[in-house]
Amino acid sequence: MSFVVHLQRALGRHAPTIEVRDVGGPARPGGELRATIRVAAGARAARLEPIRVRLVEERLIYTAPMVAEFDFWQKVVGFSLPLVGRMLAPGEAIELPITLSLPAALEPTERHRRYRLSAHFGRLGPRHAVIVGVLA
């Protein structure tokens, strides 16, 4: 392959898109969280890589006085969907239902704590994330 094609792949130009959808409402500690991951090819055929799915806890931090933001605190659940070798035709999409078993000791969402469900291809590939509520 040419250098330009390698560069476009590294920058994600022709990479498939990924989206987390249909998250099943607020989760409960010790319960299950259901969602769907949609993967779609663009104008070109796409070779799929494993999709990494993670639910992480984020905590409110202050980077400066009166400047607050959420940052990674700990990984709650994570796994990989092995799709190696699978190809998507141009314009084709697949939807993959997932179920995460949540730990019983999971703390509920509060003003200073939230949870983010993310799905992504590798380190530089496309990613998508949604905020998930956890009830007591």
Side-chain angles (χ1 to χ4, degrees):
M1 279 188 237
S2 73
F3 173 74
V4 174
V5 172
H6 284 293
L7 185 60
Q8 287 176 338
R9 281 192 180 165
L11 297 175
R13 178 171 168 144
H14 295 294
T17 59
I18 190 166
E19 182 181 6
V20 179
R21 310 170 124 191
D22 306 327
V23 177
R28 296 201 180 272
E32 293 183 337
L33 176 64
R34 298 181 194 282
T36 302
I37 298 177
R38 184 177 192 278
V39 180
R44 291 188 177 178
R47 181 181 312 276
L48 298 181
E49 300 174 13
I51 298 173
R52 290 195 285 176
V53 178
R54 293 186 345 159
L55 179 68
V56 298
E57 179 181 338
E58 297 178 335
R59 295 275 177 112
L60 189 65
I61 61 168
Y62 288 90
T63 54
M66 304 303 289
V67 179
E69 62 184 46
F70 281 90
D71 198 12
F72 173 83
W73 187 258
Q74 68 179 344
K75 182 171 87 171
V76 177
V77 179
F79 61 90
S80 182
L81 294 170
L83 298 175
V84 177
R86 186 158 182 184
M87 293 287 293
L88 286 180
E92 183 182 9
I94 59 171
E95 292 192 357
L96 307 164
I98 60 167
T99 302
L100 288 85
S101 296
L102 303 177
L106 195 64
E107 297 179 64
T109 301
E110 293 183 9
R111 189 177 62 81
H112 68 281
R113 177 183 31 248
R114 71 180 185 188
Y115 296 92
R116 178 182 300 270
L117 176 62
S118 66
H120 54 94
F121 293 109
R123 291 183 181 216
L124 298 175
R127 69 179 55 223
H128 188 255
V130 295
I131 301 300
V132 176
V134 176
L135 300 177

